[in-house]
């Protein structure tokens, strides 16, 4: 089966070095977030800190980055994660990883891959779309 | 040891502006200090103090990435301050601080200081409720739901530490500083009350691995449950991230609502905490969801489907 994709945002809605939360399933909370790591590079992870099951990570809507912009941070207990692979380099879940979510840039748009995801919420949103 | 409670919690942060935004929205009053730091005060003058993490003169950081730099305890008077300085001078260096306080480290390496308290006595109305069978708290035509009411933290309530050595740490606060255990979570830690404060706890300890040492949260007392809900709802509406709450704890009976913060610790609204005296016998329970929350609500922006059924579906 060909992968299916859901449009998330225009790429310029996530400036380079910044992050943005998304709620593709309409749960009323951002279940994943995207970090624009470069002009043509993005990464995305579940908004769930590996330290405390399901803990939401931002301190405010879309604010997932440390003050110096070098790391993804969990503002629950101060864990820092490497943007490129989600490895926790400092804090209570050191050595553990964020759960990656597949996203892609096509032209000036950002898409979320709806199949083959670890994220239960996103899997369900695919089922809803197919229904 | 006549300690009243935390007067000030000092942080060294990497994003001062984000911390400022958060703490002002939380309801604290910004007070710019001569040394360049920012103080964010509750109504009685107790406060969170924010420095940039590389500011000069700041107490050394913990061995972890936690942004806590110092906890300043308010004591009743100069005699109480002198007694603490004398006690702690027996086995550690106690530094005189500008402003008349003294500073040192506790037995697991947290920077602590003591000062004659800055707490101003408050004379404020309680939450007023109407309860059948009791005299009305609000008379005829006095409205309880006021969306425009201020909801300002009244006083610093308590601090909670992640400690790598709970036994050693509690012995220090109990044996050296006269704290009393009000209740105890097995395998987690004690709720502690100092001698000059009857609140259920001003200090709670959580045993953790070394690499987590630091502050878990700092809490402020609100007027009552309604004001806590109002303040927390305003935070949610501004896009802040709730961590736990709103709900009501069992030990302490206080209402709670915890928020993530740019300091990388939680900041809590609490309300309506139990009070105790020397006749109280400490309870013990395992720490879990069942014992830590009497009840828990979670906010959801979608409380009902609006505008009819989705296309292609029957209602």
């Amino acid at each position: 089966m060909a992968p299916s994709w859901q449009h998330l945002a225009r790429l310029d809605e996530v400036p380079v070095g910044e992050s943005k939360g998304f709620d593709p399933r309409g749960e009323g909370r951002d279940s994943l977030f995207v970090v624009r790591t470069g002009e043509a590079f993005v990464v995305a992870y579940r908004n769930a800190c590996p330290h405390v099951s399901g803990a939401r990570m931002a301190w405010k809507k879309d604010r997932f980055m440390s003050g110096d912009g070098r790391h993804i941070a969990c503002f629950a207990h101060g864990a820092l994660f490497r943007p490129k692979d989600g490895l926790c380099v400092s804090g209570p879940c050191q050595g553990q990883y964020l759960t990656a979510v597949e996203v892609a840039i096509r032209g000036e748009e950002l898409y979320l891959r709806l199949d083959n995801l670890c994220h239960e919420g996103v899997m369900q949103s695919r089922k809803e779309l197919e229904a | 040891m006549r300690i009243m409670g935390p007067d000030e919690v000092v942080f060294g942060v990497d994003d001062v502006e984000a911390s400022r935004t958060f703490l002002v929205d939380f309801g604290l009053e910004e007070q710019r200090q001569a040394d360049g730091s920012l103080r964010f005060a509750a109504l009685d003058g107790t406060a969170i103090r924010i420095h940039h993490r590389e500011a000069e003169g700041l107490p050394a950081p913990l061995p972890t990435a936690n942004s806590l730099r110092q906890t300043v305890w308010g004591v009743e008077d100069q005699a109480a301050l002198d007694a603490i300085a004398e006690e702690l001078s027996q086995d550690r260096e106690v530094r005189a601080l500008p402003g008349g306080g003294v500073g040192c480290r506790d037995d697991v390496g947290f920077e602590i200081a003591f000062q004659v308290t800055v707490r101003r006595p408050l004379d404020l109305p309680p939450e007023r409720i109407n309860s059948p069978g009791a005299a009305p708290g609000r008379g005829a035509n006095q409205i309880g739901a006021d969306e425009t009411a201020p909801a300002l933290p009244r006083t610093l309530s308590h601090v909670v530490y992640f400690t790598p050595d709970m036994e050693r740490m509690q012995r220090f606060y109990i044996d050296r500083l006269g704290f009393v255990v009000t209740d105890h979570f097995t395998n987690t830690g004690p709720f502690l009350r100092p001698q000059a404060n009857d609140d259920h706890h001003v200090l709670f300890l959580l045993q953790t691995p070394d690499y987590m040492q630091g502050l878990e949260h700092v809490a402020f007392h609100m007027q009552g449950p309604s004001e806590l809900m109002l303040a927390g709802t305003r935070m949610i509406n501004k896009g802040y991230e709730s961590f736990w709450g709103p709900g009501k704890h069992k030990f302490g009976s206080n209402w709670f609502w915890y928020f993530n913060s740019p300091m990388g610790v939680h900041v809590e609204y609490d309300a309506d905490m139990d009070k105790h005296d020397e006749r109280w016998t400490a309870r013990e329970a395992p720490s879990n969801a069942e014992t830590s929350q009497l009840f828990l609500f979670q906010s959801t922006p979608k409380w009902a489907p609006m505008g009819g059924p989705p296309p292609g579906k029957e209602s």
Side-chain angles (χ1 to χ4, degrees), chain A residues 25-29 47 51-52 55-61 63-69 74-78 80 90-94 128 131, chain B residues 14-15 18-19 21-22 25 53 64-66 162 211-212 215-216 238-243 259-266 298 300-302 313:
Chain A
R25 191 188 161 200
E27 297 167 83
R29 44 157 293 192
N47 181 13
H51 169 223
V52 177
R56 284 173 269 178
M57 296 169 59
W59 64 271
K60 195 174 190 180
K61 171 75 183 145
R63 302 294 298 268
F64 292 88
M65 302 303 287
S66 63
D68 61 10
C74 175
F75 291 95
H77 293 123
L80 297 175
S90 166
C93 39
Q94 200 159 329
E128 283 166 18
Chain B
D14 70 342
D15 193 340
S19 302
T21 302
F22 174 89
D25 283 343
R53 66 181 173 194
T64 62
N66 194 270
F162 285 141
Y211 58 83
M212 286 181 68
L215 187 85
E216 203 288 334
K238 286 178 177 164
Y240 291 104
E241 193 70 272
S242 168
F243 179 74
F259 287 87
N260 287 359
S261 83
M263 294 87 77
V265 303
H266 294 128
Q298 265 163 337
T300 172
K302 297 183 107 187
K313 288 190 180 173

Side-chain angles (χ1 to χ4, degrees), chain B residues 23-46:
Chain B
L23 293 165
V24 168
D25 283 343
F26 192 81
L28 299 169
E29 185 195 1
E30 180 178 348
Q31 301 169 341
R32 197 165 283 273
Q33 302 296 292
D35 66 357
S37 69
L38 295 172
R39 225 173 157 270
F40 297 90
L43 293 178
D44 73 341
T46 53

Side-chain angles (χ1 to χ4, degrees), chain A residues 79-98:
Chain A
L80 297 175
F81 302 86
R82 220 156 54 180
K84 66 174 182 182
D85 58 4
L87 174 68
C88 178
V89 293
S90 166
C93 39
Q94 200 159 329
Q96 293 179 260
Y97 286 86
L98 295 171

Side-chain angles (χ1 to χ4, degrees), chain B residues 10 21 37-38 50 67 70 108 131 162 178 190 218 248-249 258 264 285 304 308:
Chain B
V10 182
T21 302
S37 69
L38 295 172
I50 299 291
S67 62
Q70 189 179 52
V108 294
S131 183
F162 285 141
V218 51
K248 188 174 170 79
H249 284 307
Y258 300 82

